[in-house]
Amino acid sequence: MNLKEIRDLIALLQGTDIYEFQLERGGVKVRIRRGAPLPEGREPAAAPPRMEEAFPQEPRPVGAPISSTDRLITVTSPIVGTFYRAPSPEAQSFVEIGDRVKKGQVLCLIEAMKLMNEIESEADGTVVKILAESAQPVEYGEPLFLIEPA
Amino acid sequence: MNLKEIRDLIALLQGTDIYEFQLERGGVKVRIRRGAPLPEGREPAAAPPRMEEAFPQEPRPVGAPISSTDRLITVTSPIVGTFYRAPSPEAQSFVEIGDRVKKGQVLCLIEAMKLMNEIESEADGTVVKILAESAQPVEYGEPLFLIEPA
Amino acid sequence: MFKKILIANRGEIALRVIRACREMGIKTVAVYSEADAQSLHVRAADESVCVGPADAAASYRNIPNILSAAEITDAEAIHPGYGFLAEDPNFAEVCASAGIKFIGPTPENIKLMGNKAKAREMMAKAGVPVIPGSQGVINDDREAQRLARKIGLPIIIKSANGGGGRGLRLVHTEVSLPNAFLTAQTESLAGFGSADVYIEKYLGESRHIEIQILADDRGRVVHLGERECSIQRRHQKLVEESPSPALTEKLRRRMGDAAVEAAKAVRYRNAGTVEFLLDGKMNFYFLEMNTRIQVEHPVTEMVTGLDLVKEQILIASGQPLRFKQRDISYRGHCIEVRVNAEHPEHFTPSPGEIAEFIPPGGPGVRVDTAVYSRYRVPPHYDSLLAKVLAYGQTREEAVSRITRALDETVLTGVHTTIPLLQKIVQDPDFRRGKYTTSFVDRFVPRA
Amino acid sequence: MFKKILIANRGEIALRVIRACREMGIKTVAVYSEADAQSLHVRAADESVCVGPADAAASYRNIPNILSAAEITDAEAIHPGYGFLAEDPNFAEVCASAGIKFIGPTPENIKLMGNKAKAREMMAKAGVPVIPGSQGVINDDREAQRLARKIGLPIIIKSANGGGGRGLRLVHTEVSLPNAFLTAQTESLAGFGSADVYIEKYLGESRHIEIQILADDRGRVVHLGERECSIQRRHQKLVEESPSPALTEKLRRRMGDAAVEAAKAVRYRNAGTVEFLLDGKMNFYFLEMNTRIQVEHPVTEMVTGLDLVKEQILIASGQPLRFKQRDISYRGHCIEVRVNAEHPEHFTPSPGEIAEFIPPGGPGVRVDTAVYSRYRVPPHYDSLLAKVLAYGQTREEAVSRITRALDETVLTGVHTTIPLLQKIVQDPDFRRGKYTTSFVDRFVPRA
């Protein structure tokens, strides 16, 4: 199976209500699961903001890795506060995308109750993605960095 | 199995209530799961009668044939009233199980608003089962007789 | 007191009556159509009887089957709810002849008030103010023209057997009168089985205010204050409240007295509502009398603390009213909104399965509904899903609370009028209490 | 007035506070643990912040995270609800030092009333009747013995830092006293961090009656009448009502006055509850003061028409009370039942997914809940699913209505206390209003 086939397959599934699809080529094994696993219901009429629309379409799985592959490590915020990529506005960021980091190395600061808390890397690896913006609030469990372990 | 086959397969499943489908070609293995996967819920504790237990476990499909085979005709009550198998307490029943009946033949009386209403057979055939008891109330659509058509 | 009552209705009002019976220790019999076998009113009743197919004419309006259901279950009385057989004088009569108590007014009350022209005449005689117009039925366009000149245009031509705002013709110019008159007669004949029409002066921007009354067998009548029902679309009420933001204490007393006089004049019995039009100059006029419990009765319950359905049952069982006019007191303010299964802009009905329903709750909120998550709204009956009521110490609190209640209601799977109701209760004029029967027009695209 | 309030709680009380804020036009911030991401209070709030994992110690009791959440969302005030941080004087203090208004009493109020022995002493000084017993803490068993002889057995040994009935020892005989005293000290140290205990005479069959008070910054205090809370199991209230079937008008006034005196004596601020024991001879004694909004506060709301959470917010924002004692009026009767996710006989918690929930509704019924069909009740928090309240013109109507409401409630998938509550409200003694704190024993198998 090549990239084109996969692309075609994805296009094929797009817009259907199939929510699981498996394929094994060797002994020809197909598995299709369709129909929303959640109870379906027609969409309501466009309306002023209401509690029924209060949940984001895809609630962020708090504290869980958001990467598609399990190989990446997600560094999440252990506290609630304000995220800073650098020790001061003028200073350089602790890390940039592509930087190699060591376990225990400071990745960012989170200010909470007037105190700066250093957030350290949990493993050796490479910074693949920075998910929070400097000077923005972060909640508990919010993903901050994706690290590809060395 | 190629993309076209898969596409056909998906088209086939679209609009059905199959929610899981498995196929193994080697040893010919098919698995189809259909009907909504009902979310499980633990049984409630034994409790005093409450509305939550008010529905019978298997609500009688009103007005629908209750026989397992579609060949039988169900004569249902077209009105609400009291069912009588005979014209008077001393008289013989209009019909018994095993009797052959003709279309239009009176099968029973239903008393409603002090009036006796004759209920007739909808077809020629044999009385297979009598489902209501004499002098007992019947509601609209309640099955009264099963007739095996001649 | 009755031991068992049959409820000849469905939906939230059937459940409402069952609740009253349960609290009074009275057994209940639900009737239902084949489309309603899984309905909450069936689930809530002690017994239930299927009385016909989905079509209401063959089930909920099927008098022989409903009476037979009462007979086979030994029900001593029938509560008709609203709609269906509630205002059918024939049904009330047949109940009486079958020895089953009809929980509502006498057949004569229903018959008289069903004839709007006659009712109008009767009220005028009793000294209740009526809108300037004809005395009884008008038979030809010449007569209509003479009257129009006397009372002045514009005028409304109404069917004597219509009601609830159905079968109206508004006439602005004399030249259009003859044609309009003929059309009104034809429509009346087609719609209500009689060509009888009558004429009233059109009063322009006005309010629709109704007075709830209770009358016992001994001729004692009390009123329970007013409900303001001006928020309507095509004479279908959407929002009701009590007290009315328009009434002064004095006017309230005068309208209450007039309603009591109206009820006494026709020897009315049980619960009823006298509808008045209140014009821009604060003059009020008798419109019609509704001879049933009304959809919006909970508004009155919230401010008086009374249970109107229980009072209906007590009266029907022959008990005298337990209170005098001076015992009735009002507290706070209540607003009701009607959540219908309709598209909020085009008002097309929207039956189907409710995916999720989380009703509002908390302080001051009452919900009357027979729907629930995964309930399938049948296409055969009216579109009312739920009545949501908010009580507040003040009108301001009631308004903020009904707004909050609507915002927190989760009801998906079908279209509902919630978005329209949200717009209404957030409208600055509504918040100020400044509105007339034309208020809803601003939210509804012209047809 | 505050523009934004953070609610440091979850479940129905968080929703309750959000409702009050919405009605007042105040923005809300919900905090939640990872286990509560799909909770209704999160859905209902304008903003939400995850403050920790499921374990409440690391989330709902996590002071730094909750204060940070207030800071990053610019919330000006925090409502603590009940439980969690509501009666933590340290939290109230830290809020003050962070410039965030704590919606509740002063840290001093909380600290003082948290020490039951001290509170007792203070109340006795202020002239509020206290149960005969020790003045402050008792330090050794000899002292305990002397006191027991003076006031007479049986006595109860209580932890000074306990409360809500936790950490009690009932002593019937002098010979068992020394041992019981030692055990009580040990348990108090283990359970509440201090070996301080005090002693009260055991009064036998009695009622638990509490008075709701409101106090503003200017020292004005009013009471809102009583709640009868004698229906308890192991000091957990199951059913509450107002008015109490036991009180006379005179006794009500005396207890109300005593509660106001108690609040004034400690310069109390915001909403609070003074709990009294009422013995068989109609003598009442101060038990403790709860320095928070209570689970059962809606009972008072139903009979007074007030919104207690709004009053809390108004007081916290510095506004004076809007009414005097004579402006408070009572109407009708209200009964509340607590529906818990517990086995109705063994009281083991029953978390899990609710299959179907159809709350009761209709006249006089209020439901405060944060659960809905398919909601998963997490195993981490208290078991309260819903508070169901019934209002009636009379106690009789309220009793028949709460019975009806329980009967019609559909709540499947988890075990609930509904069957027990049904038995309680149908009990002839309950119906007569004749019960004491030992009432529930008859329904509960002995351990």
Side-chain angles (χ1 to χ4, degrees), chain C residues 19 22-23 303-307 310 331 356 361-363 366-368 393 397 400-401 404 407-408, chain D residues 19 22-23 43 303-307 310 331 361-363 366-368 393 397 400-401 404 407-408:
Chain C
R19 283 169 169 154
R22 288 193 83 105
E23 292 175 18
V303 294
T304 61
L306 293 171
D307 184 317
K310 284 184 190 166
R331 176 170 174 164
E356 186 177 28
R366 167 176 170 182
V367 181
D368 277 55
Q393 293 169 262
E397 185 174 52
S400 65
R401 194 163 271 165
R404 182 272 287 175
D407 292 350
E408 79 182 33
Chain D
R19 284 170 168 152
R22 286 194 84 105
E23 293 174 18
R43 220 161 149 172
V303 293
T304 61
L306 294 170
D307 183 319
K310 284 184 190 165
R331 175 169 174 167
R366 167 175 170 182
V367 181
D368 278 56
Q393 293 169 262
E397 184 172 53
S400 64
R401 195 162 271 165
R404 182 272 288 176
D407 292 349
E408 78 181 36

Side-chain angles (χ1 to χ4, degrees), chain D residues 166-445:
Chain D
R166 294 168 303 165
L168 303 182
R169 288 259 131 195
L170 180 57
V171 182
H172 284 278
T173 60
E174 207 172 306
V175 64
S176 63
L177 179 56
N179 231 325
F181 186 82
L182 214 67
T183 319
Q185 281 191 321
T186 316
E187 282 181 3
S188 175
L189 185 62
F192 310 105
S194 147
D196 285 358
V197 297
Y198 66 105
I199 288 174
E200 283 177 354
K201 187 168 167 57
Y202 174 66
L203 296 176
E205 294 275 295
S206 53
R207 285 173 175 261
H208 179 129
I209 288 166
E210 58 187 30
I211 306 282
Q212 175 71 52
I213 64 106
L214 289 175
D216 67 15
D217 283 354
R218 295 157 210 216
R220 250 168 73 178
V221 185
V222 298
H223 74 84
L224 306 179
E226 81 276 13
R227 289 185 295 260
E228 159 84 65
C229 306
S230 303
I231 309 284
Q232 308 182 341
R233 181 189 157 267
R234 298 196 181 168
H235 303 282
Q236 296 299 306
K237 296 165 190 166
L238 298 174
V239 179
E240 300 101 347
E241 64 180 304
S242 185
S244 163
L247 294 202
T248 60
E249 201 41 64
K250 199 177 152 195
L251 189 51
R252 175 169 297 119
R253 204 163 42 238
R254 280 177 54 219
M255 290 178 75
D257 290 347
V260 168
E261 281 317 307
K264 282 186 173 162
V266 299
R267 303 172 151 276
Y268 194 82
R269 200 175 65 194
N270 214 289
T273 301
V274 184
E275 297 196 339
F276 291 105
L277 210 68
L278 182 70
D279 71 12
K281 295 172 196 120
M282 295 292 131
N283 297 308
F284 65 89
Y285 305 95
F286 174 85
L287 258 187
E288 62 183 54
M289 183 163 186
N290 297 313
T291 55
R292 59 170 190 266
I293 190 79
Q294 281 188 276
V295 177
E296 63 270 25
H297 76 275
V299 173
T300 299
E301 295 182 328
M302 298 282 269
V303 293
T304 61
L306 294 170
D307 183 319
L308 292 192
V309 176
K310 284 184 190 165
E311 298 302 333
Q312 283 194 295
I313 294 169
L314 289 170
I315 291 169
S317 77
Q319 296 202 22
L321 282 178
R322 299 170 303 147
F323 34 74
K324 295 200 168 65
Q325 191 62 52
R326 66 164 176 273
D327 301 322
I328 306 296
S329 68
Y330 308 96
R331 175 169 174 167
H333 196 100
C334 180
I335 299 176
E336 172 180 282
V337 296
R338 301 193 191 184
V339 177
N340 294 334
E342 287 169 10
H343 192 283
E345 280 163 32
H346 335 124
F347 300 96
T348 45
S350 179
E353 186 175 292
I354 292 173
E356 185 176 27
F357 177 39
I358 306 180
V365 171
R366 167 175 170 182
V367 181
D368 278 56
T369 184
V371 311
Y372 49 91
S373 291
R374 325 220 144 235
Y375 171 75
R376 187 166 281 280
V377 182
H380 315 287
Y381 313 108
D382 83 31
S383 61
L384 182 64
L385 293 176
K387 304 188 298 206
V388 177
L389 295 105
Y391 170 91
Q393 293 169 262
T394 59
R395 184 173 190 271
E396 196 190 347
E397 184 172 53
V399 171
S400 64
R401 195 162 271 165
I402 197 72
T403 306
R404 182 272 288 176
L406 282 168
D407 292 349
E408 78 181 36
T409 303
V410 175
L411 209 170
T412 59
V414 299
H415 291 297
T416 77
T417 45
I418 290 176
L420 171 64
L421 296 169
Q422 286 179 300
K423 281 188 222 158
I424 291 172
V425 299
Q426 284 166 26
D427 182 275
D429 285 338
F430 178 79
R431 297 213 157 217
R432 275 196 295 271
K434 294 225 165 289
Y435 58 80
T436 66
T437 48
S438 66
F439 174 81
V440 174
D441 295 347
R442 70 180 72 172
F443 303 111
V444 179

Side-chain angles (χ1 to χ4, degrees), chain D residues 7-11 31-37 39 41-42 51-63 66 83-85 381:
Chain D
I7 298 97
N9 216 301
R10 65 181 298 282
V31 298
Y32 63 101
S33 75
E34 286 181 341
D36 275 342
S39 286
H41 77 284
V42 178
V51 291
D55 176 19
S59 51
Y60 295 110
R61 286 184 198 274
N62 184 330
I63 295 179
I66 285 172
F84 297 134
L85 298 170
Y381 313 108

Side-chain angles (χ1 to χ4, degrees), chain C residues 23 69 72 90 102 116 149 167 228 235 250 274 298 331 357 376 389 394 440:
Chain C
E23 292 175 18
I72 65 174
N90 177 41
F102 176 81
K116 306 299 165 186
R149 279 187 192 153
E228 158 85 64
H235 303 282
K250 198 177 152 196
V274 183
R331 176 170 174 164
F357 177 40
R376 185 165 284 279
L389 296 104
T394 59
V440 173

Side-chain angles (χ1 to χ4, degrees), chain D residues 31-90:
Chain D
V31 298
Y32 63 101
S33 75
E34 286 181 341
D36 275 342
Q38 299 295 312
S39 286
L40 224 43
H41 77 284
V42 178
R43 220 161 149 172
D46 295 299
E47 293 170 70
S48 60
V49 180
C50 182
V51 291
D55 176 19
S59 51
Y60 295 110
R61 286 184 198 274
N62 184 330
I63 295 179
N65 276 3
I66 285 172
L67 278 179
S68 294
E71 279 175 4
I72 64 173
T73 56
D74 290 323
E76 295 154 86
I78 294 181
H79 196 298
Y82 52 71
F84 297 134
L85 298 170
E87 288 172 290
D88 180 340
N90 177 42

